[in-house]
Amino acid sequence: MSMLPLLNTLGVLNGVVLLDGTAAFLAALDPIGPAPAGPLPVSGTLTTNTGVPVVLGAALPSGTTVGWRLEAAPDGAVLRLTLPAGTTTAPVPDAAAGAVSETGAGANRRLRVTPTGAPVSLGVSGTVAVHLGATGARVTLEQLTVAPGASDVVLAGGFALGLPAGFTVADDVAELGTVRFVLPATVPLLGGLPLSAAVTIRREAAAFRVTLPPAGADPRVSGALAFQLPDGAALADLVPVAADVALALPSGTAPLGADGPVIDEAVTIRAVITRPPGAPGDLAVAVSAESGHPDGLLGGGGTSRGERALAMTVAVGPALTARAGDGGPVALGALFGAAWAFADLFATMGDYTVHGVTLQASGDDGTLLARLDVSAAVGIADIDLGLATITMDDDRPLRVRWRDIAATVDLSRLAAGDDPADALDLDFRSSHAEVVDPGGGRWRPPASRRTCCRSSAPGRAPVPPGSRWTCGSRWTSDR
């Protein structure tokens, strides 16, 4: 027999409207021993006949024994359940214990929280009250002490939490204190970044926002975490519905690790992570890096074959692909290979600058999407047209800036150890070309002092679509 018939017998349910949730809660409680007779107060022990939810999505497992006491209240009656010390919940759904490893230091400090496969249970003790009155019935977490069975927890989407050793719940308000949030490893550049935020959870649905950084935290980290918690929020709901996190990197930092480029000027990397309410694992990620310095985020250049090929890939990639008749995304491996050979024939020097990049990652399909803002300078060697030869001034190379180049990275291929070039596709269809400097050229021998870039003379270098090569250039004749 559950508590419902006993409460009816004691007359405390007269005129009380039981909603489904409260009725199911009482039906899951079975009194042990003879039924007590009134008047109130009366008490006894009971056992759970199924899982009974208590806190943060955790439930008392079937067979849990607790004490109970029913007493009169101004508006009816209250049933209090006393959970003794040592009471342990069933595993929390959609959460797993994690093991933490740390790499890097300073701005490059990152945490990796790996699921161990062990479940996460909560140790709970204290009182849960069921209020029964003319205005209705409700279950209240009156006073609980909670001790998580794991300090580090991995949630859906790869978010990880560092929980305090214990916290309290009073009148349905859980004061977790300072919680460490670790960004998913799939977030470009900022994956594994630890964040600290003070978290309070209320039993009813609530939306709240936490500003970063809290007092005493890393001042280089700024932004906010937004939460939208449903009624009876679970631990899994602590995946933010929106996270806007910025990390200020000083000059001299290598954001891609010790083997990556060192930035010469301060750079701000910002990650925006969003998810729909009710879908903690459905993350959308966008990461941007910006620098106000004229030299951009990073750059490179030189006379080696590879450096020239990279510059050529950026500067004339659209023209090469257009001539190949490939209207879709172009494999960088093929494009780079073409530029590699092309560079041997035409390019004598090359450099490139990454002005800005916005990365968008999906945790579902293992791909990384990027939008690039890149410029490249290319020096063109002598081009023999038969009747004349065109040369370009080494001191004033052609410079093209491409905005909004779409790039796709197959992260699974990178993880498998494939060549990075084969894991990256570029698509110039949505990009916008701008000739920053048309460069300086020399035409010989005809007496003409100027020629238009629209000339269809055979053998001329590929022209980036949407731009006009060498219009406005400084042309001179050797004749």
Side-chain angles (χ1 to χ4, degrees):
M1 178 181 71
S2 75
M3 285 296 293
L4 281 173
L6 176 59
L7 296 176
N8 262 323
T9 300
L10 295 172
V12 296
L13 293 184
N14 295 334
V16 177
V17 177
L18 291 177
L19 298 179
D20 291 344
T22 306
F25 184 91
L26 293 172
L29 308 176
D30 290 341
I32 299 174
L40 303 183
V42 294
S43 60
T45 58
L46 58 79
T47 185
T48 58
N49 58 48
T50 187
V52 177
V54 280
V55 60
L56 294 183
L60 298 177
S62 177
T64 302
T65 300
V66 300
W68 63 271
R69 177 182 173 85
L70 180 65
E71 57 190 24
D75 62 342
V78 59
L79 172 68
R80 283 189 172 86
L81 310 179
T82 302
L83 282 60
T87 301
T88 303
T89 69
V92 178
D94 301 319
V100 180
S101 58
E102 182 174 338
T103 60
N108 283 343
R109 178 176 178 259
R110 299 291 186 268
L111 301 182
R112 183 177 183 87
V113 186
T114 305
T116 64
V120 179
S121 298
L122 305 179
V124 292
S125 61
T127 57
V128 178
V130 183
H131 299 272
L132 305 167
T135 57
R138 70 183 189 279
V139 179
T140 300
L141 305 180
E142 197 169 59
Q143 188 69 46
L144 291 177
T145 299
V146 182
S151 59
D152 295 286
V153 179
V154 181
L155 304 180
F159 261 97
L161 304 179
L163 297 174
F167 58 91
T168 60
V169 183
D171 296 327
D172 289 338
V173 179
E175 296 284 356
L176 272 65
T178 300
V179 174
R180 185 190 65 210
F181 292 84
V182 180
L183 296 185
T186 53
V187 177
L189 299 179
L190 297 185
L193 183 70
L195 313 170
S196 295
V199 176
T200 298
I201 300 177
R202 303 182 183 277
R203 189 177 179 86
E204 70 273 11
F208 62 95
R209 184 173 181 270
V210 177
T211 301
L212 302 172
D218 190 341
R220 292 168 299 197
V221 178
S222 61
L225 304 177
F227 300 88
Q228 188 170 328
L229 305 182
D231 286 331
L235 199 61
D237 294 313
L238 286 181
V239 176
V241 293
D244 185 347
V245 181
L247 175 63
L249 298 178
S251 61
T253 306
L256 301 181
D259 296 330
V262 175
I263 56 176
D264 296 328
E265 299 293 333
V267 171
T268 297
I269 300 176
R270 180 178 299 275
V272 177
I273 307 169
T274 58
R275 69 168 178 89
D282 190 7
L283 301 181
V285 181
V287 176
S288 61
E290 295 182 353
S291 172
H293 194 270
D295 291 337
L297 292 171
L298 58 90
T303 58
S304 74
R305 195 182 192 206
E307 289 168 320
R308 297 198 311 267
L310 180 56
M312 292 297 296
T313 299
V314 174
V316 300
L320 291 174
T321 58
R323 290 195 173 192
D326 186 356
V330 181
L332 182 62
L335 181 59
F336 189 84
W340 185 285
F342 190 82
D344 269 353
L345 179 62
F346 290 101
T348 59
M349 56 178 290
D351 69 83
Y352 64 95
T353 300
V354 179
H355 299 279
V357 56
T358 297
L359 305 178
Q360 297 176 319
S362 168
D364 297 329
D365 58 10
T367 58
L368 176 71
L369 305 179
R371 293 285 175 175
L372 307 177
D373 177 4
V374 185
S375 66
V378 179
I380 304 299
D382 292 1
I383 301 175
D384 188 357
L385 303 181
L387 297 177
T389 300
I390 295 178
T391 63
M392 197 152 214
D393 290 348
D394 290 343
D395 295 334
R396 191 184 174 191
L398 166 70
R399 176 169 287 275
V400 180
R401 182 163 180 171
W402 294 97
R403 303 178 189 269
D404 212 24
I405 302 172
T408 303
V409 183
D410 188 337
L411 299 178
S412 62
R413 298 191 66 174
L414 290 180
D418 289 0
D419 189 327
D422 294 333
L424 177 61
D425 288 345
L426 291 181
D427 186 353
F428 288 88
R429 290 175 298 175
S430 61
S431 63
H432 308 286
E434 174 187 347
V435 177
V436 180
D437 188 341
R442 184 179 299 275
W443 169 279
R444 65 177 191 271
S448 172
R449 297 183 178 273
R450 178 185 172 95
T451 188
C452 179
C453 68
R454 291 175 179 163
S455 168
S456 58
R460 70 187 177 109
V463 179
S467 64
R468 295 184 301 169
W469 180 58
T470 70
C471 282
S473 299
R474 182 181 66 248
W475 288 93
T476 60
S477 171
D478 283 351
R479 185 171 178 177

